Amino acid sequence: EVIQELHLPKVSLTMTSVDIVRGSLATAHLTVKEHTTLKDLWRAYRNFAEVNPFVRVVKEARGIYRVPDPKILAGSNYADVGFEFDEENHHLVATCAIDNLMKGASGTAVQCLNLMQGYPENTALQFPGLHPA
């Protein structure tokens, strides 16, 4: 579905089950256009997260949580996205972590109900997660 909906012709997508009760990690490998820069990718990720209230960009140079991690999201409606980029080879590794029980159908149902009823989209969905960051 991801490859189909994003119209990405050459993508290798891996879904990883993690050693926790709930959570999923997706990893996609793809080749980007030749003149794409790290700055271009940062701009695209930030623009996407800016218009999607439950998407957060996670890409830190150091520290415990440098990449998206499903255990951080347990109980939350957030999707954490991140990436690594090999500019020389035009290779992008994109990652996304979710709590598949919350961000799946249940969180989507509440989010849609909020929109249908005229409530703010994030009503009752702002819980940051069970794991301290």
Side-chain angles (χ1 to χ4, degrees), residues 25-129:
L25 178 66
T27 305
H29 293 261
L30 58 145
T31 302
V32 297
K33 293 179 182 176
E34 190 172 327
H35 298 291
T36 302
T37 65
L38 181 60
K39 187 176 180 178
D40 294 331
L41 290 172
W42 270 111
R43 185 179 308 113
Y45 271 79
R46 285 185 180 130
N47 288 343
F48 184 76
E50 190 174 291
V51 297
N52 291 282
F54 296 107
V55 174
R56 302 183 299 197
V57 180
V58 177
K59 183 171 173 32
E60 299 294 332
R62 59 179 177 253
I64 297 173
Y65 304 113
R66 297 180 298 205
V67 296
D69 186 340
K71 74 178 176 186
I72 303 292
L73 299 164
S76 82
N77 193 54
Y78 289 96
D80 284 353
V81 297
F83 65 92
E84 288 299 325
F85 181 49
D86 178 352
E87 202 163 347
E88 184 177 315
N89 294 307
H90 318 294
H91 184 82
L92 174 66
V93 178
T95 56
C96 177
I98 62 168
D99 172 346
N100 58 312
L101 296 179
M102 184 62 191
K103 186 60 184 165
S106 61
T108 300
V110 173
Q111 198 170 343
C112 289
L113 175 70
N114 288 340
L115 292 171
M116 290 170 48
Q117 296 300 317
Y119 302 135
E121 186 174 356
N122 59 357
T123 299
L125 294 170
Q126 297 174 336
F127 182 66

Side-chain angles (χ1 to χ4, degrees), residues 16-23 70-71:
T16 305
S17 175
V18 293
D19 192 23
I20 55 177
V21 175
R22 52 205 276 176
K71 74 178 176 186

